Amino acid sequence: MTVAVGQEDLLLDRAVREVVAAAKAADADTDVRDLTPEQLQPGTLAELTSPSLFAERKVVVVRNAQDLSADTVKDVKAYLGSPAEEITLVLLHAGGAKGKGLLDAARKAGAREVACPKMTKPADRLAFVRGEFRSLGRSATPEACQALCDAIGSDLRELASAVSQLVADVEGTIDEAIVGRYYTGRAEASSFTVADRAVEGRTAEALEALRWSLATGVAPVMITSALAQGVRAIGKLSSARGGRPADLARELGMPPWKIDRVRQQMRGWTPDGVAVALRAVAEADAGVKGGGDDPEYALEKAVVVIARAARSRGRA
């Protein structure tokens, strides 16, 4: 028995595929029944799991188990108390309070549990990409993993597909340049690319990336958010006491690879420059949220001010 808990569809589907693959490896003739709550009516599970004259092996997958009717839940709980040896039961459960009694019963019965949480945080998606490369036996630099997340976005299926494509097409370690070549339009449209070029003082490249981003539909509010993160990272690191990247990462809440990148970006910055840039970001944020007539102009102005502030040390 397996219970997959969470709301990330890709991970839930993978949990099912792994169980089915294992069952098929043991018996190629294994029968697979993939059922929704509407299809699993009272009595259906008993029928599917009843002893077969030919000792037929089955995998019974129950999706959205939290939505099963009360009578069907009783059937499933009864089966959990006396499972059949030739049957593999897989319950997909969203987690949470709904249907928790069934989830608890599966756990109590000793079901193997697979966590399939919805990945809403960028750090979770970054860890997912790293894990995808590792699972395929390949290495990718931290910068490449971040670039892929920036280029593809939050869809796990697309991220997994992109990793598979890179692994299939590229030999050796996958770095940021390779990701850029494969996902040129999407990577260049990233709001974080705009922010990186701006805090590095590369005005023309930052403006080019900004115009491409807006032309390809990136929301202006996402760009101001990325600019704010970039400038704040400069400010946080410049005011932190020295130390190893790992120590600073813990102190500032950044991954070690980002500490190295921000260190390179902050070379031309001064405390006054950071203050000027933060004011520019705040003005742009107000402009894109209805405080101004032209959100694109507000962003262009902020990018120019930030890039100029990035070179403030050289002018001092």
Side-chain angles (χ1 to χ4, degrees):
M1 295 183 292
T2 295
V3 56
V5 185
Q7 299 180 43
E8 190 60 68
D9 290 339
L10 173 64
L11 300 183
L12 291 167
D13 287 344
R14 282 186 174 180
V16 173
R17 285 203 303 270
E18 288 172 4
V19 172
V20 171
K24 292 279 190 179
D27 183 349
D29 294 327
T30 297
D31 181 27
V32 179
R33 304 295 182 92
D34 198 323
L35 305 169
T36 64
E38 294 75 23
Q39 294 170 315
L40 196 65
Q41 297 297 317
T44 304
L45 183 63
E47 181 181 337
L48 289 173
T49 58
S50 60
S52 169
L53 179 63
F54 303 101
E56 182 184 29
R57 291 188 174 275
K58 290 180 184 175
V59 175
V60 178
V61 180
V62 180
R63 296 185 180 271
N64 298 315
Q66 72 280 355
D67 295 330
L68 292 172
S69 68
D71 288 338
T72 304
V73 167
K74 291 179 182 178
D75 288 351
V76 177
K77 286 182 176 180
Y79 175 79
L80 292 172
S82 182
E85 184 177 348
E86 68 276 10
I87 303 296
T88 300
L89 178 66
V90 185
L91 300 176
L92 307 188
H93 194 291
K98 187 177 182 181
K100 188 173 181 298
L102 178 58
L103 183 57
D104 290 342
R107 287 167 171 160
K108 186 176 180 181
R112 181 179 69 97
E113 185 166 343
V114 180
C116 305
K118 196 74 175 175
M119 294 190 182
T120 57
K121 297 179 180 179
D124 293 337
R125 291 191 289 272
L126 181 59
F128 170 79
V129 168
R130 289 173 177 166
E132 288 293 287
F133 280 115
R134 282 196 302 270
S135 68
L136 294 173
R138 295 294 298 278
S139 61
T141 66
E143 294 81 3
C145 294
Q146 184 64 58
L148 196 60
C149 289
D150 292 345
I152 300 300
S154 60
D155 190 302
L156 248 58
R157 292 187 189 278
E158 290 195 23
L159 284 170
S161 176
V163 170
S164 296
Q165 179 183 355
L166 289 170
V167 166
D169 293 353
V170 179
E171 296 182 356
T173 299
I174 294 164
D175 59 20
E176 188 175 12
I178 291 171
V179 173
R181 286 202 303 271
Y182 270 74
Y183 298 97
T184 300
R186 298 175 76 166
E188 289 177 355
S190 164
S191 56
F192 290 100
T193 300
V194 179
D196 283 340
R197 300 296 87 83
V199 300
E200 290 163 2
R202 296 154 65 178
T203 308
E205 293 177 44
L207 288 172
E208 182 182 0
L210 171 63
R211 288 163 190 149
W212 182 270
S213 296
L214 294 171
T216 54
V218 177
V221 69
M222 297 296 294
I223 299 174
T224 56
S225 175
L227 290 170
Q229 290 182 48
V231 175
R232 287 185 191 125
I234 298 286
K236 288 166 69 175
L237 189 56
S238 62
S239 62
R241 56 182 181 273
R244 297 178 305 166
D247 297 331
L248 287 170
R250 285 191 293 271
E251 179 184 344
L252 301 178
M254 299 180 189
W257 67 264
K258 190 170 184 180
I259 296 292
D260 292 333
R261 172 180 282 186
V262 176
R263 272 180 169 165
Q264 294 174 356
Q265 292 174 334
M266 64 184 282
R267 288 171 182 163
W269 286 86
T270 65
D272 287 342
V274 172
V276 168
L278 286 174
R279 284 198 295 273
V281 171
E283 291 174 3
D285 190 55
V288 303
K289 291 180 178 176
D293 296 329
D294 190 343
E296 292 187 17
Y297 173 74
L299 286 169
E300 288 183 359
K301 181 180 177 182
V303 164
V304 170
V305 171
I306 293 168
R308 188 178 299 153
R311 301 189 299 272
S312 57
R313 190 182 299 278
R315 298 195 306 272

